[in-house]
Amino acid sequence: MLLPHLLAAASFLIPAVAAGDKTTPLVPRTWNGKKYACKCYYGDACWPSASEWKTLNNTVSGRLVPFIPPEAACHNFFNGTLFTIPTYNAAQCADVTTNYPVEQWINDQDAALMWRSWTNSSCVPTTNPSTPCTPGYYGIYIIRATTKSHVKAGIDFARRHSLRLIIRNTGHDFMGRSTGWGALVINVHGFQSVEFTSSYRGPKKEPYTGSAVTIAAGVQGRALLRLAAAQTPPVTLLTGECPTVSVAGGFVQGGGHGPLTTIFGFAADNVLSFDVVTAAGTYLTANAHQNADLFYALRGGGPGTYAVVVSATFKTFPDVPSAGATLYINSTLTNSSTVFWEGVRIFHGFANELIDAGLYTLYSLGPQMLRVKPFVAYNQTATQLDAVLAPMRAKLEAAGVPFTMAPASGYGTFLGLYLDLFDDERAGAPLLTGGWMFGRRDIAERNDAIVEAMKVALSPRADLVDKGYMVGHIFGPGHGVSKAKGAEAAVNPRFREASDLLLYNLPLPADSSIAQEDDIQDLLSNTVDRAMMRAAPDGLAYINEANPYMEDWQTHFWGPKVYPKLKKLKREWDPEGLFYSISTPGTEEWHVIEYGERLCKKL
């Protein structure tokens, strides 16, 4: 077997720490003249011995594997941290090349990430097998976990040896939290159980007794909605607009918005209970009546921050007839930039009205291209949706803006709408992402300024004209949310008065250098982010879809009232900092040094 062979080889190189539960001290290190205390990495004296890795493998039923990127099949060799091995396989390379942009394929890999800028793009599909393939910022070992005992074993091992630990689910991760150089990775995508109930029975004090579903960590949105619609009677629930997002993972831990958010709030507003493994390796249930402080933190307080969620229970709702519509303004209709942007201004100016009518709206915005797909009207007819959109149509027509908007379509179920109108995203492109959510007052009073900021995101510099790209989500997370004591999720209160979450992407050059990446990051932070903030001062940032390096992320993500609570809970539930996710509560003292490699505390 490959694993014991490699571990045996490694054991000749690296001394072992003593067995037992005592935590290995952090490793002293100096970088750029500053002193740090770092997690334990391969090459350090504290790195676990081959026999200790073998024991871990036995504990997790042989589910510990050394990381080899699937892209290695296109290269003659994988030059890994632990070993160099021949990897070229023409058939496998063809499969990888075909599937590299396919989101579900990425999700199903051990550790691959959808946005490869966070992996250092150091091993990609190629037609030249002699090019190097190295690990980049990926981990060293993967635990393909399928039980909570596997998760506990990984947590205990990482804590005992002071290893960097990564929790990876689908790799749908704009901010690089699902990967980390030299880490032990626990992959929870194998958790796939689903159990529905028509009458939820929680703790005795729990007032909610309606329908619910308990889902394991790896269950993805589209598959879950299909199962929900097959119930008698059919039900639905909060999922992401992207069909492959896992609902019980970082989605709900960051808040979780989707097509039903305007009606029912965030996923974090609708979760009833979590089953978790803590940083201490303890199995716990967290809900409004048991471990209520942890329950609060897990509902929007930051993904991968307080504990590992292995399953969660959510409210479900009737799957009812719904309506959808689309709108297009693009270069096939007009080549006039002035006319195009007037169309964007008119469309975006209706955001508050769309929300007040109960709608969710997803749109994409690129060079001379506005694609609104779809407008979603849950529990409304096509006639009702057309009536909501009529004032927008009239205003576009009066302004002389050419557009394509067919009459709204009615669907027998919300699932039918979702399957027809929501698309998978494409994976693989090297890019950086930022995001800003506009407040209702921003849109009502400053819509023109917001549109000007969108132009900056599209063309932030003379050498990047029309190179940006945006995706917007118009929803109202303040609608349909309980005001009862203890019901509030750990999200920024400004969300409840916000209307449009805009994501903006800037491309990285192929095989970009550190200097080039720093340049684009600086442009994102100091040009595009600042333009959005100036245009919409009532806005905020969404923890799962933003620039992790933005100034004062604590305030932008959570606000001055929520953030101190979460930082305190982080210290209580993870005092040693076992779980690290960039720009989440309590991470201020941790830094990734040596150009994206070691995770360390500054001394």
Side-chain angles (χ1 to χ4, degrees), residues 287-425:
N287 53 43
H289 311 286
Q290 301 168 263
N291 303 300
D293 58 344
L294 179 59
F295 181 59
Y296 169 78
L298 290 171
R299 292 181 297 140
T305 303
Y306 309 94
V308 178
V309 174
V310 293
S311 69
T313 301
F314 294 86
K315 297 176 184 178
T316 59
F317 309 99
D319 189 0
V320 294
S322 301
T326 58
L327 166 70
Y328 302 95
I329 305 173
N330 53 46
S331 58
T332 64
L333 301 171
T334 177
N335 288 317
S336 169
S337 176
T338 300
V339 171
F340 171 77
W341 283 107
E342 177 63 7
V344 173
R345 188 190 69 80
I346 291 171
F347 158 73
H348 197 261
F350 276 91
N352 292 343
E353 286 84 349
L354 295 175
I355 289 169
D356 291 341
L359 269 59
Y360 168 92
T361 304
L362 177 67
Y363 67 94
S364 303
L365 184 57
Q368 206 72 10
M369 186 280 295
L370 172 65
R371 176 181 186 260
V372 186
K373 184 188 179 188
F375 298 96
V376 176
Y378 171 81
N379 200 23
Q380 296 187 45
T381 66
T383 300
Q384 289 173 310
L385 178 53
D386 279 334
V388 171
L389 298 178
M392 181 191 299
R393 293 180 62 109
K395 197 164 186 177
L396 288 169
E397 290 168 353
V401 177
F403 62 92
T404 300
M405 178 187 274
S409 299
Y411 296 84
T413 62
F414 171 73
L415 175 66
L417 181 155
Y418 189 84
L419 294 177
D420 188 41
L421 294 179
F422 284 91
D423 304 319
D424 287 13
E425 297 175 6

Side-chain angles (χ1 to χ4, degrees), residues 462-491:
D463 61 324
L464 291 170
V465 172
D466 286 345
K467 298 299 184 182
Y469 189 77
M470 289 161 273
V471 178
H473 314 72
I474 296 174
F475 59 87
H479 289 231
V481 176
S482 172
K483 305 295 192 227
K485 183 179 180 180
E488 182 61 35
V491 298

Side-chain angles (χ1 to χ4, degrees), residues 39 57 66 82 107 117 119 194 216 257 265 330 367 400 404 414 446 459 481 520 526 559 577 583:
K39 294 283 188 176
N57 187 41
L82 300 174
N107 301 159
S117 54
T119 73
V194 180
H257 67 85
N330 53 46
T404 300
F414 171 73
R446 310 177 187 102
S459 302
V481 176
I520 298 299
N526 294 312
S583 301

Side-chain angles (χ1 to χ4, degrees), residues 123-144:
C123 186
V124 298
T126 180
T127 57
N128 181 4
S130 65
T131 58
C133 171
T134 58
Y137 299 149
Y138 279 121
I140 286 185
Y141 287 113
I142 316 291
I143 297 176
R144 296 169 174 165

Side-chain angles (χ1 to χ4, degrees), residues 174-230:
F174 286 97
M175 302 174 77
R177 298 187 176 108
S178 298
T179 193
W181 182 82
L184 171 63
V185 179
I186 301 177
N187 185 318
V188 297
H189 192 50
F191 286 77
Q192 289 290 322
S193 64
V194 180
E195 183 177 353
F196 290 89
T197 179
S198 59
S199 181
Y200 175 70
R201 294 184 179 182
K204 291 182 179 179
K205 296 179 181 179
E206 174 58 57
Y208 182 78
T209 58
S211 62
V213 60
T214 299
I215 59 174
V219 179
Q220 294 170 283
R222 179 168 46 207
L224 181 59
L225 289 175
R226 282 187 167 126
L227 291 172

Side-chain angles (χ1 to χ4, degrees), residues 67 70 102-115 119 138-139 141-145 151 165-173 176-180 184-191 217-218 220 244 246 249-250 304 308-309 427 579 581:
F67 173 69
V102 179
E103 188 174 26
Q104 187 61 60
W105 182 86
I106 294 287
N107 301 159
D108 293 338
Q109 304 307 305
D110 282 332
L113 225 59
M114 282 182 59
W115 288 272
T119 73
Y138 279 121
Y141 287 113
I142 316 291
I143 297 176
R144 296 169 174 165
V151 175
L165 180 67
I166 296 293
I167 310 303
R168 194 268 190 189
N169 194 327
T170 65
H172 185 109
D173 176 13
R177 298 187 176 108
S178 298
T179 193
L184 171 63
V185 179
I186 301 177
N187 185 318
V188 297
H189 192 50
F191 286 77
Q220 294 170 283
T244 62
S246 292
V308 178
V309 174
F579 303 124
S581 293

